[in-house]
Amino acid sequence: MSAVTFTPRPNAEATEPAEARGLPRDGVRLLIATPDKLQDSTFHDLTDHLRPGDLLVVNTSATRAGAVDGEHSRFGPVVVHLATELADGAWVVEIRSAPGAADQVRTCEPGDEVRLDGGPVIRLEGPHGPATPEGWVRLWRTQPVRLVLNSLPARPIRYGYLDRPWPLENYQTVFADPGDLGASAEMPSAGRPFTPDLVTRLVSRGVRFAPITLHAGVSSLESGESPPAEPYRVPDSTAELVNWTRRTGGRVVAVGTTVTRALESATGPDGRVRKAQGWTDLVITPDRGVRAVQGLVTGWHDPEASHLLMLEAVAGAGLVQRAYRHAVDAGYLWHEFGDSCLLLP
Protein backbone atom coordinates (compact mmCIF):
# COMPACT_ATOMS: atom_id res chain seq x y z
CA MET A 1 0.00 0.00 0.00
CA SER A 2 1.29 3.44 -0.93
CA ALA A 3 2.42 5.78 1.82
CA VAL A 4 0.87 8.66 -0.14
CA THR A 5 -2.55 9.65 1.16
CA PHE A 6 -4.93 12.34 -0.01
CA THR A 7 -8.61 13.05 -0.39
CA PRO A 8 -9.58 14.33 -3.84
CA ARG A 9 -11.86 17.32 -4.02
CA PRO A 10 -15.46 16.56 -5.04
CA ASN A 11 -15.86 16.67 -8.83
CA ALA A 12 -12.10 16.77 -9.36
CA GLU A 13 -12.34 14.60 -12.49
CA ALA A 14 -11.94 16.16 -15.93
CA THR A 15 -15.32 15.40 -17.50
CA GLU A 16 -14.33 16.28 -21.07
CA PRO A 17 -11.19 16.73 -23.20
CA ALA A 18 -9.25 19.98 -22.96
CA GLU A 19 -10.37 20.89 -26.48
CA ALA A 20 -14.01 20.81 -25.36
CA ARG A 21 -13.04 23.24 -22.58
CA GLY A 22 -11.65 25.70 -25.11
CA LEU A 23 -8.02 24.72 -24.58
CA PRO A 24 -5.42 23.19 -26.87
CA ARG A 25 -4.23 19.79 -25.71
CA ASP A 26 -1.10 21.34 -24.25
CA GLY A 27 -3.16 23.97 -22.46
CA VAL A 28 -3.80 21.69 -19.46
CA ARG A 29 -2.12 22.52 -16.19
CA LEU A 30 1.28 21.05 -15.32
CA LEU A 31 2.73 20.85 -11.83
CA ILE A 32 6.52 20.81 -11.76
CA ALA A 33 7.59 18.85 -8.67
CA THR A 34 11.25 18.95 -7.64
CA PRO A 35 12.87 18.52 -4.23
CA ASP A 36 13.27 22.31 -3.99
CA LYS A 37 9.82 23.52 -4.98
CA LEU A 38 6.44 22.93 -6.52
CA GLN A 39 5.67 25.17 -9.47
CA ASP A 40 2.36 25.62 -11.26
CA SER A 41 2.75 25.80 -15.03
CA THR A 42 1.02 24.69 -18.20
CA PHE A 43 1.96 21.75 -20.39
CA HIS A 44 2.69 24.19 -23.23
CA ASP A 45 5.67 25.43 -21.20
CA LEU A 46 7.22 22.00 -20.66
CA THR A 47 10.20 23.25 -22.68
CA ASP A 48 11.14 25.53 -19.77
CA HIS A 49 11.64 22.59 -17.43
CA LEU A 50 13.73 20.19 -19.51
CA ARG A 51 17.36 20.58 -20.56
CA PRO A 52 19.25 19.90 -23.80
CA GLY A 53 20.38 16.30 -23.56
CA ASP A 54 17.32 15.12 -21.66
CA LEU A 55 15.43 12.17 -23.16
CA LEU A 56 11.66 11.77 -23.21
CA VAL A 57 10.59 8.15 -23.69
CA VAL A 58 7.07 7.83 -25.11
CA ASN A 59 4.57 5.04 -25.71
CA THR A 60 3.53 4.62 -29.37
CA SER A 61 0.64 2.25 -28.67
CA ALA A 62 -2.59 3.41 -30.28
CA THR A 63 -5.96 3.10 -28.60
CA ARG A 64 -8.77 0.97 -29.98
CA ALA A 65 -12.47 0.98 -29.21
CA GLY A 66 -12.59 -1.59 -26.41
CA ALA A 67 -16.15 -1.49 -25.02
CA VAL A 68 -18.93 -3.51 -26.61
CA ASP A 69 -22.45 -4.36 -25.43
CA GLY A 70 -23.30 -7.98 -24.73
CA GLU A 71 -25.94 -10.34 -23.39
CA HIS A 72 -24.79 -12.37 -20.38
CA SER A 73 -26.22 -15.87 -20.09
CA ARG A 74 -27.40 -15.25 -16.51
CA PHE A 75 -27.45 -11.48 -15.97
CA GLY A 76 -28.79 -10.13 -19.25
CA PRO A 77 -27.36 -6.93 -20.76
CA VAL A 78 -23.77 -6.14 -19.79
CA VAL A 79 -20.84 -4.14 -21.16
CA VAL A 80 -17.72 -6.11 -22.05
CA HIS A 81 -14.34 -4.40 -21.88
CA LEU A 82 -11.93 -6.15 -24.25
CA ALA A 83 -8.68 -5.65 -22.40
CA THR A 84 -6.00 -7.71 -24.14
CA GLU A 85 -5.71 -10.39 -26.79
CA LEU A 86 -3.51 -13.28 -25.64
CA ALA A 87 -1.05 -15.19 -27.80
CA ASP A 88 -3.43 -18.13 -28.34
CA GLY A 89 -6.35 -15.97 -29.48
CA ALA A 90 -8.11 -15.88 -26.11
CA TRP A 91 -9.08 -12.50 -24.70
CA VAL A 92 -8.80 -10.89 -21.30
CA VAL A 93 -12.14 -9.24 -20.58
CA GLU A 94 -13.85 -7.31 -17.82
CA ILE A 95 -17.64 -7.60 -17.42
CA ARG A 96 -19.41 -4.43 -16.31
CA SER A 97 -22.97 -3.33 -15.78
CA ALA A 98 -25.17 -2.03 -18.61
CA PRO A 99 -25.74 0.45 -20.02
CA GLY A 100 -23.05 2.78 -18.69
CA ALA A 101 -20.45 0.28 -17.41
CA ALA A 102 -20.65 2.05 -14.06
CA ASP A 103 -20.00 -1.05 -11.95
CA GLN A 104 -18.04 -4.26 -12.26
CA VAL A 105 -20.10 -7.47 -12.32
CA ARG A 106 -18.56 -9.37 -9.43
CA THR A 107 -20.50 -12.62 -9.56
CA CYS A 108 -19.34 -14.12 -12.86
CA GLU A 109 -18.29 -17.75 -12.83
CA PRO A 110 -16.25 -20.05 -15.08
CA GLY A 111 -18.42 -21.24 -17.94
CA ASP A 112 -20.54 -18.08 -18.15
CA GLU A 113 -21.21 -17.01 -21.72
CA VAL A 114 -21.74 -13.55 -23.19
CA ARG A 115 -23.03 -12.94 -26.72
CA LEU A 116 -21.30 -9.85 -28.05
CA ASP A 117 -23.40 -7.35 -29.97
CA GLY A 118 -22.59 -7.97 -33.63
CA GLY A 119 -20.12 -10.70 -32.78
CA PRO A 120 -19.67 -14.22 -31.45
CA VAL A 121 -20.27 -15.74 -28.03
CA ILE A 122 -17.38 -15.56 -25.60
CA ARG A 123 -17.06 -18.05 -22.73
CA LEU A 124 -15.36 -17.16 -19.46
CA GLU A 125 -12.86 -19.96 -18.89
CA GLY A 126 -11.22 -18.75 -15.71
CA PRO A 127 -9.63 -15.85 -13.86
CA HIS A 128 -6.83 -13.88 -15.48
CA GLY A 129 -4.43 -12.94 -12.75
CA PRO A 130 -5.04 -12.95 -9.02
CA ALA A 131 -8.34 -12.13 -7.38
CA THR A 132 -8.91 -8.64 -6.05
CA PRO A 133 -8.01 -7.85 -2.43
CA GLU A 134 -11.70 -8.39 -1.66
CA GLY A 135 -11.51 -11.91 -3.08
CA TRP A 136 -13.48 -11.67 -6.32
CA VAL A 137 -12.40 -11.95 -9.95
CA ARG A 138 -12.18 -8.78 -12.04
CA LEU A 139 -10.47 -9.99 -15.20
CA TRP A 140 -11.45 -13.16 -17.04
CA ARG A 141 -9.83 -15.22 -19.74
CA THR A 142 -12.11 -16.34 -22.57
CA GLN A 143 -11.81 -19.29 -24.87
CA PRO A 144 -9.74 -18.63 -28.02
CA VAL A 145 -12.10 -16.71 -30.26
CA ARG A 146 -11.60 -14.67 -33.40
CA LEU A 147 -12.86 -11.14 -32.92
CA VAL A 148 -12.83 -8.87 -35.96
CA LEU A 149 -12.65 -5.66 -34.01
CA ASN A 150 -13.55 -3.40 -36.90
CA SER A 151 -16.80 -5.29 -37.38
CA LEU A 152 -17.93 -4.94 -33.76
CA PRO A 153 -20.05 -1.93 -32.74
CA ALA A 154 -17.42 -1.07 -30.15
CA ARG A 155 -16.73 2.31 -28.59
CA PRO A 156 -13.91 3.70 -26.45
CA ILE A 157 -13.92 2.53 -22.85
CA ARG A 158 -15.57 5.22 -20.78
CA TYR A 159 -16.08 5.64 -17.06
CA GLY A 160 -18.85 7.41 -15.20
CA TYR A 161 -17.04 10.67 -14.54
CA LEU A 162 -17.14 11.64 -18.24
CA ASP A 163 -20.13 13.74 -19.14
CA ARG A 164 -20.77 11.98 -22.47
CA PRO A 165 -19.15 9.62 -25.00
CA TRP A 166 -16.21 10.97 -27.02
CA PRO A 167 -14.99 9.77 -30.43
CA LEU A 168 -11.95 7.54 -30.61
CA GLU A 169 -9.71 10.32 -31.94
CA ASN A 170 -9.97 11.97 -28.55
CA TYR A 171 -8.18 8.93 -27.10
CA GLN A 172 -5.17 8.95 -29.46
CA THR A 173 -1.89 10.60 -28.56
CA VAL A 174 0.33 12.36 -31.07
CA PHE A 175 2.75 9.44 -30.68
CA ALA A 176 0.22 6.72 -31.63
CA ASP A 177 1.60 4.52 -34.41
CA PRO A 178 -0.97 4.47 -37.24
CA GLY A 179 0.39 1.08 -38.29
CA ASP A 180 -0.43 -0.38 -34.89
CA LEU A 181 -4.01 0.78 -34.46
CA GLY A 182 -6.11 -1.26 -32.13
CA ALA A 183 -3.67 -2.31 -29.47
CA SER A 184 -4.34 -0.52 -26.16
CA ALA A 185 -7.70 -0.88 -24.49
CA GLU A 186 -7.16 2.46 -22.79
CA MET A 187 -5.14 5.46 -23.84
CA PRO A 188 -1.57 5.87 -22.53
CA SER A 189 -2.86 9.19 -21.31
CA ALA A 190 0.34 10.85 -20.08
CA GLY A 191 1.20 11.50 -23.72
CA ARG A 192 -2.12 13.15 -24.55
CA PRO A 193 -1.12 16.79 -23.84
CA PHE A 194 1.76 16.66 -26.35
CA THR A 195 1.12 18.43 -29.66
CA PRO A 196 3.21 18.48 -32.86
CA ASP A 197 4.14 22.09 -32.08
CA LEU A 198 5.32 21.20 -28.58
CA VAL A 199 7.33 18.23 -29.84
CA THR A 200 8.98 20.48 -32.43
CA ARG A 201 9.92 23.06 -29.81
CA LEU A 202 11.33 20.40 -27.49
CA VAL A 203 13.44 18.88 -30.28
CA SER A 204 14.64 22.36 -31.24
CA ARG A 205 15.77 22.84 -27.67
CA GLY A 206 17.85 19.67 -27.76
CA VAL A 207 15.46 17.32 -25.97
CA ARG A 208 15.41 13.88 -27.56
CA PHE A 209 12.57 11.41 -27.97
CA ALA A 210 12.64 7.62 -27.99
CA PRO A 211 9.77 5.16 -28.41
CA ILE A 212 8.65 2.07 -26.58
CA THR A 213 5.41 0.16 -27.03
CA LEU A 214 3.25 -1.16 -24.23
CA HIS A 215 -0.33 -2.12 -25.00
CA ALA A 216 -2.31 -1.03 -21.96
CA GLY A 217 -5.19 -3.07 -20.63
CA VAL A 218 -8.10 -1.73 -18.61
CA SER A 219 -7.26 0.63 -15.78
CA SER A 220 -10.22 0.08 -13.51
CA LEU A 221 -8.14 -1.51 -10.78
CA GLU A 222 -9.48 -2.01 -7.30
CA SER A 223 -7.64 -0.23 -4.51
CA GLY A 224 -4.35 -2.01 -3.88
CA GLU A 225 -4.74 -4.31 -6.90
CA SER A 226 -1.60 -4.86 -8.99
CA PRO A 227 -1.77 -4.31 -12.76
CA PRO A 228 -2.03 -7.44 -14.93
CA ALA A 229 0.65 -8.58 -17.36
CA GLU A 230 0.83 -6.49 -20.54
CA PRO A 231 2.67 -6.94 -23.88
CA TYR A 232 5.57 -4.56 -24.47
CA ARG A 233 8.55 -3.88 -26.70
CA VAL A 234 11.70 -1.82 -26.13
CA PRO A 235 13.66 -1.50 -29.39
CA ASP A 236 17.43 -1.65 -29.49
CA SER A 237 17.67 1.99 -30.61
CA THR A 238 15.75 3.14 -27.53
CA ALA A 239 17.81 0.98 -25.19
CA GLU A 240 21.04 2.43 -26.58
CA LEU A 241 19.74 6.00 -26.41
CA VAL A 242 18.67 5.58 -22.77
CA ASN A 243 22.09 4.16 -21.86
CA TRP A 244 23.87 6.96 -23.75
CA THR A 245 21.73 9.65 -22.10
CA ARG A 246 22.57 8.35 -18.64
CA ARG A 247 26.28 8.13 -19.48
CA THR A 248 26.39 11.70 -20.75
CA GLY A 249 24.52 13.33 -17.88
CA GLY A 250 21.07 13.76 -19.41
CA ARG A 251 17.90 12.76 -17.62
CA VAL A 252 15.70 9.90 -18.78
CA VAL A 253 12.10 11.03 -18.32
CA ALA A 254 9.33 8.49 -18.85
CA VAL A 255 6.08 9.82 -20.29
CA GLY A 256 3.67 7.78 -18.23
CA THR A 257 3.53 4.73 -16.05
CA THR A 258 3.30 2.44 -19.10
CA VAL A 259 6.69 3.70 -20.29
CA THR A 260 8.17 3.28 -16.82
CA ARG A 261 6.95 -0.30 -16.66
CA ALA A 262 8.33 -1.17 -20.09
CA LEU A 263 11.72 0.50 -19.58
CA GLU A 264 12.28 -0.99 -16.16
CA SER A 265 11.28 -4.42 -17.49
CA ALA A 266 14.10 -4.09 -20.02
CA THR A 267 16.70 -2.94 -17.47
CA GLY A 268 19.05 -5.37 -15.80
CA PRO A 269 20.35 -5.23 -12.22
CA ASP A 270 23.42 -3.45 -13.67
CA GLY A 271 21.21 -0.54 -14.71
CA ARG A 272 21.75 -1.17 -18.42
CA VAL A 273 18.72 -1.19 -20.70
CA ARG A 274 18.60 -3.87 -23.35
CA LYS A 275 16.34 -4.65 -26.28
CA ALA A 276 13.34 -6.55 -24.95
CA GLN A 277 9.96 -7.84 -26.07
CA GLY A 278 7.28 -9.99 -24.48
CA TRP A 279 4.91 -9.72 -21.56
CA THR A 280 5.71 -7.89 -18.37
CA ASP A 281 4.12 -8.47 -14.98
CA LEU A 282 6.61 -6.18 -13.27
CA VAL A 283 5.18 -4.27 -10.31
CA ILE A 284 7.40 -1.31 -9.43
CA THR A 285 7.47 -0.43 -5.75
CA PRO A 286 9.75 1.72 -3.58
CA ASP A 287 11.45 -1.48 -2.37
CA ARG A 288 12.24 -2.55 -5.94
CA GLY A 289 13.11 1.00 -7.03
CA VAL A 290 13.89 2.14 -10.57
CA ARG A 291 17.11 1.61 -12.50
CA ALA A 292 16.68 3.60 -15.73
CA VAL A 293 13.97 6.21 -15.18
CA GLN A 294 15.00 9.51 -13.57
CA GLY A 295 11.85 11.57 -14.07
CA LEU A 296 8.21 11.04 -14.91
CA VAL A 297 5.40 12.85 -16.71
CA THR A 298 2.13 11.55 -15.30
CA GLY A 299 -1.52 12.27 -14.77
CA TRP A 300 -3.20 12.13 -11.37
CA HIS A 301 -4.15 8.78 -9.88
CA ASP A 302 -6.83 7.72 -7.42
CA PRO A 303 -6.11 7.17 -3.71
CA GLU A 304 -4.55 3.76 -3.00
CA ALA A 305 -3.93 3.09 -6.72
CA SER A 306 -0.97 0.78 -7.28
CA HIS A 307 0.52 3.36 -9.67
CA LEU A 308 1.25 5.54 -6.63
CA LEU A 309 3.86 2.97 -5.57
CA MET A 310 5.54 3.42 -8.95
CA LEU A 311 5.56 7.19 -8.50
CA GLU A 312 7.12 6.72 -5.06
CA ALA A 313 9.79 4.48 -6.58
CA VAL A 314 10.70 7.22 -9.08
CA ALA A 315 10.42 10.33 -6.92
CA GLY A 316 10.20 9.26 -3.29
CA ALA A 317 7.15 9.25 -1.06
CA GLY A 318 7.82 12.73 0.34
CA LEU A 319 7.86 14.52 -3.01
CA VAL A 320 4.86 12.58 -4.33
CA GLN A 321 2.93 13.36 -1.16
CA ARG A 322 3.67 17.09 -1.48
CA ALA A 323 2.69 17.07 -5.14
CA TYR A 324 -0.66 15.39 -4.49
CA ARG A 325 -1.43 17.65 -1.54
CA HIS A 326 -0.75 20.69 -3.73
CA ALA A 327 -2.77 19.30 -6.64
CA VAL A 328 -5.79 18.78 -4.41
CA ASP A 329 -5.53 22.24 -2.85
CA ALA A 330 -4.95 23.95 -6.21
CA GLY A 331 -7.85 22.22 -7.96
CA TYR A 332 -5.96 20.15 -10.53
CA LEU A 333 -8.14 17.84 -12.64
CA TRP A 334 -7.85 14.04 -12.51
CA HIS A 335 -7.92 11.20 -15.05
CA GLU A 336 -7.29 10.83 -18.78
CA PHE A 337 -8.49 14.27 -19.87
CA GLY A 338 -7.12 16.03 -16.81
CA ASP A 339 -3.97 17.87 -15.77
CA SER A 340 -0.41 16.60 -15.49
CA CYS A 341 2.62 16.47 -13.24
CA LEU A 342 6.34 16.40 -14.05
CA LEU A 343 8.25 14.66 -11.25
CA LEU A 344 11.96 15.53 -11.29
CA PRO A 345 13.52 14.16 -8.11
PDB file of all heavy atoms in Angstrom, residues 261-279:
ATOM      1  N   ARG A 261       7.025   1.151 -16.801  1.00  0.00           N
ATOM      2  CA  ARG A 261       6.947  -0.303 -16.655  1.00  0.00           C
ATOM      3  C   ARG A 261       7.742  -1.008 -17.756  1.00  0.00           C
ATOM      4  O   ARG A 261       8.470  -1.980 -17.489  1.00  0.00           O
ATOM      5  CB  ARG A 261       5.481  -0.751 -16.690  1.00  0.00           C
ATOM      6  CG  ARG A 261       5.266  -2.167 -16.215  1.00  0.00           C
ATOM      7  CD  ARG A 261       3.828  -2.599 -16.294  1.00  0.00           C
ATOM      8  NE  ARG A 261       3.569  -3.744 -15.412  1.00  0.00           N
ATOM      9  CZ  ARG A 261       2.504  -4.517 -15.472  1.00  0.00           C
ATOM     10  NH1 ARG A 261       1.560  -4.263 -16.370  1.00  0.00           N
ATOM     11  NH2 ARG A 261       2.343  -5.533 -14.644  1.00  0.00           N
ATOM     12  N   ALA A 262       7.619  -0.522 -18.987  1.00  0.00           N
ATOM     13  CA  ALA A 262       8.331  -1.165 -20.091  1.00  0.00           C
ATOM     14  C   ALA A 262       9.843  -0.980 -19.949  1.00  0.00           C
ATOM     15  O   ALA A 262      10.608  -1.951 -20.081  1.00  0.00           O
ATOM     16  CB  ALA A 262       7.846  -0.584 -21.418  1.00  0.00           C
ATOM     17  N   LEU A 263      10.278   0.249 -19.684  1.00  0.00           N
ATOM     18  CA  LEU A 263      11.719   0.496 -19.582  1.00  0.00           C
ATOM     19  C   LEU A 263      12.352  -0.290 -18.443  1.00  0.00           C
ATOM     20  O   LEU A 263      13.421  -0.895 -18.596  1.00  0.00           O
ATOM     21  CB  LEU A 263      11.975   1.988 -19.351  1.00  0.00           C
ATOM     22  CG  LEU A 263      12.222   2.888 -20.551  1.00  0.00           C
ATOM     23  CD1 LEU A 263      12.675   4.257 -20.091  1.00  0.00           C
ATOM     24  CD2 LEU A 263      13.246   2.277 -21.505  1.00  0.00           C
ATOM     25  N   GLU A 264      11.707  -0.279 -17.307  1.00  0.00           N
ATOM     26  CA  GLU A 264      12.276  -0.987 -16.160  1.00  0.00           C
ATOM     27  C   GLU A 264      12.271  -2.499 -16.390  1.00  0.00           C
ATOM     28  O   GLU A 264      13.139  -3.209 -15.876  1.00  0.00           O
ATOM     29  CB  GLU A 264      11.512  -0.627 -14.888  1.00  0.00           C
ATOM     30  CG  GLU A 264      11.707   0.827 -14.455  1.00  0.00           C
ATOM     31  CD  GLU A 264      13.160   1.146 -14.086  1.00  0.00           C
ATOM     32  OE1 GLU A 264      13.826   0.260 -13.537  1.00  0.00           O
ATOM     33  OE2 GLU A 264      13.614   2.272 -14.385  1.00  0.00           O
ATOM     34  N   SER A 265      11.311  -2.986 -17.164  1.00  0.00           N
ATOM     35  CA  SER A 265      11.284  -4.420 -17.489  1.00  0.00           C
ATOM     36  C   SER A 265      12.470  -4.802 -18.366  1.00  0.00           C
ATOM     37  O   SER A 265      12.883  -5.962 -18.390  1.00  0.00           O
ATOM     38  CB  SER A 265       9.974  -4.787 -18.196  1.00  0.00           C
ATOM     39  OG  SER A 265       8.856  -4.551 -17.355  1.00  0.00           O
ATOM     40  N   ALA A 266      12.992  -3.824 -19.111  1.00  0.00           N
ATOM     41  CA  ALA A 266      14.105  -4.088 -20.018  1.00  0.00           C
ATOM     42  C   ALA A 266      15.454  -3.733 -19.403  1.00  0.00           C
ATOM     43  O   ALA A 266      16.469  -3.765 -20.097  1.00  0.00           O
ATOM     44  CB  ALA A 266      13.901  -3.288 -21.307  1.00  0.00           C
ATOM     45  N   THR A 267      15.468  -3.388 -18.134  1.00  0.00           N
ATOM     46  CA  THR A 267      16.698  -2.938 -17.474  1.00  0.00           C
ATOM     47  C   THR A 267      17.206  -4.014 -16.514  1.00  0.00           C
ATOM     48  O   THR A 267      16.450  -4.513 -15.670  1.00  0.00           O
ATOM     49  CB  THR A 267      16.443  -1.640 -16.686  1.00  0.00           C
ATOM     50  OG1 THR A 267      15.865  -0.670 -17.565  1.00  0.00           O
ATOM     51  CG2 THR A 267      17.745  -1.086 -16.123  1.00  0.00           C
ATOM     52  N   GLY A 268      18.461  -4.356 -16.663  1.00  0.00           N
ATOM     53  CA  GLY A 268      19.055  -5.368 -15.800  1.00  0.00           C
ATOM     54  C   GLY A 268      19.477  -4.807 -14.458  1.00  0.00           C
ATOM     55  O   GLY A 268      19.469  -3.592 -14.237  1.00  0.00           O
ATOM     56  N   PRO A 269      19.879  -5.678 -13.541  1.00  0.00           N
ATOM     57  CA  PRO A 269      20.355  -5.227 -12.224  1.00  0.00           C
ATOM     58  C   PRO A 269      21.562  -4.293 -12.324  1.00  0.00           C
ATOM     59  O   PRO A 269      21.829  -3.524 -11.396  1.00  0.00           O
ATOM     60  CB  PRO A 269      20.733  -6.546 -11.516  1.00  0.00           C
ATOM     61  CG  PRO A 269      19.922  -7.588 -12.207  1.00  0.00           C
ATOM     62  CD  PRO A 269      19.822  -7.146 -13.632  1.00  0.00           C
ATOM     63  N   ASP A 270      22.269  -4.349 -13.471  1.00  0.00           N
ATOM     64  CA  ASP A 270      23.417  -3.451 -13.667  1.00  0.00           C
ATOM     65  C   ASP A 270      23.002  -2.063 -14.131  1.00  0.00           C
ATOM     66  O   ASP A 270      23.855  -1.197 -14.349  1.00  0.00           O
ATOM     67  CB  ASP A 270      24.392  -4.063 -14.672  1.00  0.00           C
ATOM     68  CG  ASP A 270      23.737  -4.295 -16.042  1.00  0.00           C
ATOM     69  OD1 ASP A 270      22.519  -4.079 -16.181  1.00  0.00           O
ATOM     70  OD2 ASP A 270      24.460  -4.708 -16.977  1.00  0.00           O
ATOM     71  N   GLY A 271      21.699  -1.841 -14.290  1.00  0.00           N
ATOM     72  CA  GLY A 271      21.212  -0.537 -14.706  1.00  0.00           C
ATOM     73  C   GLY A 271      21.256  -0.317 -16.210  1.00  0.00           C
ATOM     74  O   GLY A 271      20.912   0.767 -16.679  1.00  0.00           O
ATOM     75  N   ARG A 272      21.654  -1.309 -16.966  1.00  0.00           N
ATOM     76  CA  ARG A 272      21.751  -1.170 -18.423  1.00  0.00           C
ATOM     77  C   ARG A 272      20.456  -1.666 -19.077  1.00  0.00           C
ATOM     78  O   ARG A 272      19.964  -2.756 -18.766  1.00  0.00           O
ATOM     79  CB  ARG A 272      22.951  -1.954 -18.953  1.00  0.00           C
ATOM     80  CG  ARG A 272      23.188  -1.766 -20.439  1.00  0.00           C
ATOM     81  CD  ARG A 272      24.511  -2.369 -20.884  1.00  0.00           C
ATOM     82  NE  ARG A 272      24.697  -2.208 -22.327  1.00  0.00           N
ATOM     83  CZ  ARG A 272      25.113  -1.083 -22.896  1.00  0.00           C
ATOM     84  NH1 ARG A 272      25.405  -0.044 -22.129  1.00  0.00           N
ATOM     85  NH2 ARG A 272      25.251  -0.988 -24.209  1.00  0.00           N
ATOM     86  N   VAL A 273      19.935  -0.822 -19.979  1.00  0.00           N
ATOM     87  CA  VAL A 273      18.717  -1.186 -20.704  1.00  0.00           C
ATOM     88  C   VAL A 273      19.096  -1.973 -21.945  1.00  0.00           C
ATOM     89  O   VAL A 273      20.048  -1.621 -22.651  1.00  0.00           O
ATOM     90  CB  VAL A 273      17.923   0.080 -21.099  1.00  0.00           C
ATOM     91  CG1 VAL A 273      16.635  -0.298 -21.832  1.00  0.00           C
ATOM     92  CG2 VAL A 273      17.598   0.910 -19.869  1.00  0.00           C
ATOM     93  N   ARG A 274      18.341  -3.025 -22.191  1.00  0.00           N
ATOM     94  CA  ARG A 274      18.604  -3.874 -23.353  1.00  0.00           C
ATOM     95  C   ARG A 274      17.320  -4.048 -24.159  1.00  0.00           C
ATOM     96  O   ARG A 274      16.222  -3.914 -23.623  1.00  0.00           O
ATOM     97  CB  ARG A 274      19.128  -5.244 -22.898  1.00  0.00           C
ATOM     98  CG  ARG A 274      20.465  -5.167 -22.181  1.00  0.00           C
ATOM     99  CD  ARG A 274      20.863  -6.486 -21.579  1.00  0.00           C
ATOM    100  NE  ARG A 274      22.215  -6.454 -20.998  1.00  0.00           N
ATOM    101  CZ  ARG A 274      22.501  -5.974 -19.794  1.00  0.00           C
ATOM    102  NH1 ARG A 274      21.522  -5.517 -19.016  1.00  0.00           N
ATOM    103  NH2 ARG A 274      23.744  -5.964 -19.352  1.00  0.00           N
ATOM    104  N   LYS A 275      17.481  -4.342 -25.426  1.00  0.00           N
ATOM    105  CA  LYS A 275      16.340  -4.648 -26.282  1.00  0.00           C
ATOM    106  C   LYS A 275      15.504  -5.744 -25.619  1.00  0.00           C
ATOM    107  O   LYS A 275      16.054  -6.747 -25.134  1.00  0.00           O
ATOM    108  CB  LYS A 275      16.854  -5.115 -27.644  1.00  0.00           C
ATOM    109  CG  LYS A 275      15.804  -5.616 -28.591  1.00  0.00           C
ATOM    110  CD  LYS A 275      16.474  -6.122 -29.867  1.00  0.00           C
ATOM    111  CE  LYS A 275      15.441  -6.717 -30.823  1.00  0.00           C
ATOM    112  NZ  LYS A 275      16.097  -7.233 -32.059  1.00  0.00           N
ATOM    113  N   ALA A 276      14.198  -5.560 -25.611  1.00  0.00           N
ATOM    114  CA  ALA A 276      13.340  -6.552 -24.948  1.00  0.00           C
ATOM    115  C   ALA A 276      11.961  -6.550 -25.585  1.00  0.00           C
ATOM    116  O   ALA A 276      11.494  -5.533 -26.101  1.00  0.00           O
ATOM    117  CB  ALA A 276      13.233  -6.247 -23.458  1.00  0.00           C
ATOM    118  N   GLN A 277      11.315  -7.699 -25.529  1.00  0.00           N
ATOM    119  CA  GLN A 277       9.961  -7.844 -26.066  1.00  0.00           C
ATOM    120  C   GLN A 277       9.287  -9.022 -25.392  1.00  0.00           C
ATOM    121  O   GLN A 277       9.933 -10.025 -25.097  1.00  0.00           O
ATOM    122  CB  GLN A 277      10.015  -8.068 -27.589  1.00  0.00           C
ATOM    123  CG  GLN A 277       8.654  -8.150 -28.237  1.00  0.00           C
ATOM    124  CD  GLN A 277       8.745  -8.133 -29.762  1.00  0.00           C
ATOM    125  OE1 GLN A 277       9.839  -8.044 -30.320  1.00  0.00           O
ATOM    126  NE2 GLN A 277       7.617  -8.200 -30.438  1.00  0.00           N
ATOM    127  N   GLY A 278       8.004  -8.893 -25.108  1.00  0.00           N
ATOM    128  CA  GLY A 278       7.275  -9.987 -24.480  1.00  0.00           C
ATOM    129  C   GLY A 278       6.155  -9.446 -23.614  1.00  0.00           C
ATOM    130  O   GLY A 278       5.530  -8.451 -23.952  1.00  0.00           O
ATOM    131  N   TRP A 279       5.929 -10.136 -22.513  1.00  0.00           N
ATOM    132  CA  TRP A 279       4.906  -9.724 -21.557  1.00  0.00           C
ATOM    133  C   TRP A 279       5.601  -9.349 -20.251  1.00  0.00           C
ATOM    134  O   TRP A 279       6.519 -10.038 -19.816  1.00  0.00           O
ATOM    135  CB  TRP A 279       3.920 -10.862 -21.299  1.00  0.00           C
ATOM    136  CG  TRP A 279       3.019 -11.131 -22.466  1.00  0.00           C
ATOM    137  CD1 TRP A 279       3.363 -11.748 -23.638  1.00  0.00           C
ATOM    138  CD2 TRP A 279       1.654 -10.776 -22.587  1.00  0.00           C
ATOM    139  NE1 TRP A 279       2.294 -11.803 -24.483  1.00  0.00           N
ATOM    140  CE2 TRP A 279       1.223 -11.225 -23.868  1.00  0.00           C
ATOM    141  CE3 TRP A 279       0.739 -10.142 -21.748  1.00  0.00           C
ATOM    142  CZ2 TRP A 279      -0.093 -11.040 -24.322  1.00  0.00           C
ATOM    143  CZ3 TRP A 279      -0.572  -9.959 -22.199  1.00  0.00           C
ATOM    144  CH2 TRP A 279      -0.967 -10.407 -23.465  1.00  0.00           C
TER     145      TRP A 279
END
